Amino acid sequence: MSIGHTLLGLLESGPRHGYDLKRAFDEKFGHDRPLHYGQVYSTMSRLLKNGLVVVDGIEAGGGPERKRYAITDAGITDVAQWLATPEKPEPYLQSTLYTKVVLALLTHRDAADILDTQRSEHLRSMRILTDRKRKGDLADQLICDHALFHLEADLRWLELTAARLDKLREAVAAQ
Amino acid sequence: MTAPAGSLLAAERLRKAYGPTLALDGAEFSIHPGEVVAVMGPSGSGKSTLLHCLAGIVTPDSGTITYDGRELSAMSDARRSALRRSEFGFVFQFGQLVPELTCVENVALPLRLNGTPRKEAERAALTWMERLEVDDLRRKRPGEVSGGQGQRVAVARSLVTGPRVLFADEPTGALDSLNGERVMELLTDAARSTNAAVVLVTHEARVAAYSDREIVVRDGRSRDMERVV
Amino acid sequence: MSVRRWAADLAMGVRFAFAGGREGWTRAVLTAVGVGLGVALLLLTTAIPNALAVRHEREAARTDITFVDSGQLPSGSNTLVVANVGTDFRDDTVRGRALEPEGPRAPLPPGVEKFPAVGEMVVSPALKRLLESDSGELLRKRLPDRIVGTIGESGLVGSAELAFYRGAEGLAPHIDGGRVTRIDHFGETDPSSERMDPVLLLLVLVVFVALLTPVAVFIAAAVRFGGERRDRRLAALRLVGSDSRMTRRIAAGEALAGALLGLVFGAVFFLAGRQLAGTAEVFHVSVFPSYLDPSPVLALLVAVTVPAAAVLVTLFALRGVVIEPLGVVRTARPARRRLWWRLLLPLGGLAMLYPMVGQGRANGDFNQYLVVGGVILLLVGVTALLPWVVETVVSRLGAGGVSWQLAVRRLQVGSGTAARMVNGIAVAVAGAIALQMLFAGVDGDYTEDTGYDVMRAQMQVSVPSEVPVAVAAGKFRRTEGVEGVHVYSEGYLGDRRRDPEKSTPLTVGDCAALREIARLASCRDGDVFAVRGAEYDTDLGSLSKPGRTLYLDPTYAPGPKSREIPWTVPRDLKDARPRIGMTGGEQGGFLVTPKALAASAVPGLSGELYLRIDRSAPDVQENVRNTAAAVDPLAYPMTWAATEKSGRFTAIRTGLFAGAACVLALIGASLLVAQLEQLRERRKLLSSLVAFGTRRRTLGLSVLWQTAVPIALGLLLASVVGLTLGAVLLKMADTAVRVDWASVLSMTGIGAAVVLVVTLLSLPPLLRLMRPDGLRTE
């Protein structure tokens, strides 16, 4: 999961302090693993260096947590690109995909597109596996089937998410 | 958007409403000879309606469907029926075999509807049943064979007229995964060997994986994933 | 198992019968209508014996002329002279009596309140209607008397009976115990339990059985309307936990509901039918609605039997069915139908009827049990044989178009349902064919071969002795449509004034007339001939001695004194040889030309006129009858049978035809229901067939074949059984076997019409079901 893209996405709705960013991330995505402050500072400084965010202002009292960040145009483009690029189909993608979907909803992008794109990517892999399975021996078939079933599980989760996008949108907006 | 060059069957801006429900709302589609296209989408999205329109079973409220350079929606019901008899094949999820006819008679049925003499039709039917590995069922009635076997009989029937387009609506929907995959394998192999185009409506990814590309139907609108990417 | 559980389950079934929205209602009402019609017919049939009994009583109560005791009764204050002045009008018989009360205590006929005076008459309501109508105008001329009242129901044997009583005077001299008699009461003093004509009894028995068997078959079919849908409902009940016995009881409850509602419908239909029966006339027999009063025991029997039968039939039908929670399973593939026991039924029926072949009406009553049993076995044999025939034939049907193949294969899989549906039709048609054959044969028997030479004359009028025959003949010659009249005066000669031992007829006529009845070498007016060697004339030889005195119109004890006019055998008696006369027999005795007859002999002779009429002239017979009535009220015209087109059989045929058509229409309705149900069940299949381009015509035709094949087989079997039964019955009645092809064809025609109508009516739903909506999986 790309923390940088996630924080960038969170900034799209308006400038925030580093402390706010950590709290928002923890609430929405970090259910079991809260972000360390250090992770936030190092990520933000990398983004700052790459020109994706700027420092919008520093409140009195000093300290790194008092810096307020804002996203740049380059930053917005970066988020859009990241969302539109399907993940390489592999097991245990859900946390990344989930983040992407929520971010898309938060930033008023079309979450269904993300799902369709991802499905297409998955199918591409599945076609290759299916083709190999058809041409291979029994061992090949069993190995391919294992992969296919995993991919299918992801896809089914995708379909389910897509079917629940409206509910998710409400939930995300409420937070 | 116009139909891509070389497409066998193409649809543009299809709209179809059943009462107040809009089943299709500007759907597009095209397929080339020998191509297998999966039509995916959540249930109720209009997949089946798209298939029915493409096959000329249902006439869309507006939009055009071109088959082999001819405008399908301009044809009379009788012409479209004749087209379905001779150039299209159909496989459905279930309930499509005539329970009283034996399997070989079921497979021969489309040929007989076209006027082929019984003997000849049944000989051709048997050839296809052999290819789909169900020729030993020829004397059995559909009620006496398993779901997978019945579905293979249905596939044999859909191919017996040498159709140029094969329409399959959830062909494996009622089968377990092993049988479903076997049916898909046989269906796509047979279609490819005759250069028939296959319109495959399914919601299962592993079935869709037998296609060359997929389009997604959502809320009556279609999305051709190949062009997007 | 407690009664309460039973009742609860049955009640649940009753509720189910009416649940299920419009469809449930339709099914329940259809079942009820079917059962109701059956019940109404049953009630009507149980009422028929009663109706016939009432008719018989009424007939007996008004009997006047008994052909016995004539002339013994002296005139008194309590006597009445009655003359039979009945007539025929077209095909109808009009019962007519002239009444002359001889005292204040003269008996009134039943249904009449006051004796009509001379020139007045009281008539039955039906006759009144006829006389007042345009078509009755000719009859009105014959019965000009003023109508002063109507005959009450107690004096009539049917609502459509034509009858009148007219006032008369001067009847006493005509008393002969035959047409005119003196009575002091109406009704038979010694009501002879008149034996029914065995052949008529046979007819009645066969009518009962032939009508009731299809009704029973139909009721059995009616309670099974909507069977497949019910099976699914029952399966759903099993799923939620009812056990298999409960389910059966619930099914029985459903059938019971239909049957009970059917009983109500039946009662209503019966009451309506009873009123209708009051206006109908079958075989010239009509009844009053009040006659049709089913005996309470029989009505109760119907009320108990029908629901019980409905429950039993349902349980029997579910016998081979296992209702599982997930659907209905027919236990294994039923074994191939066996022929032998099915053949036993009709063969048994034939065996029961066979001993009575050739018995006819001369050899006493038919064994009623054998007749009923035999006919029932033969007809029920149809229902047993038909499933086998359908199965056997259908399994051999092969090549043909797609529609044919679809239909045949469907029948091969489930021919039982089809056969069951057609059973009713087959039984009805078989019964109707047999009945019509029997009616046609027996009817032909009655009108055939009367011996009359209808080429020479077609009507005969007898006129009383006081009417001068020449005058009468003149009147007939002037009647429209009459082409020629042969005039004779006839009398009887005896060797003594009273109780002669030997007698011979005497016939007066001109030479031309005499040549019609005998071969004369020569003839001049003034000649007298003796016909030598005529059949049944044994006494002429001894009586024809010239100079011997014989007596015309001798008296026979104990009758009243006759005229006893002496007549002397002339010396120049000529011989004549007999010839077959117009009445089909040889006329013997003396033939006298008018000049040779003394005026004194004329009162001893009565006139017989033989008329040759133009049969194509409209109402010529009615004109003749009117002339006869004008000549003398007691003049008696007869139409010779062969010229009369018998209307009786036409009426029966129409009645049977209508009855059979109703039964067939009813069965058609049930066929339609079954057909629609089957189509609905195949909705998905139909849609997929349409998807791959099946023509609507192909599917429509397959529906047609599917109905037509079993019905064709049913009608074929019905024709065979019907013709066999008809032939056997005719042989039993000792009547020549003739096939009434018209009825066979008409019955078959109705059957075919039913097929067509059922197919046509199932086409719109078929087309609707063929729409692609059925393909939608969600």
Side-chain angles (χ1 to χ4, degrees), chain C residues 23-40:
Chain C
E23 212 161 289
W25 264 105
T26 319
R27 191 192 55 240
V29 168
L30 209 64
T31 306
V33 169
V35 174
L37 286 173
V39 166

Side-chain angles (χ1 to χ4, degrees), chain B residues 84-85 90 100-101 105 112, chain C residues 400 409-410 682 691 693:
Chain B
R84 291 203 299 273
R85 275 201 300 281
F90 294 89
E100 297 86 19
L101 299 186
E105 285 169 340
R112 302 213 52 215
Chain C
R409 287 283 187 263
R410 172 107 193 118
R682 297 158 75 85

Side-chain angles (χ1 to χ4, degrees), chain C residues 749-765:
Chain C
I750 310 182
V754 167
V755 176
L756 264 181
V757 169
V758 167
T759 309
L760 282 180
L761 287 181
S762 50
L763 278 187

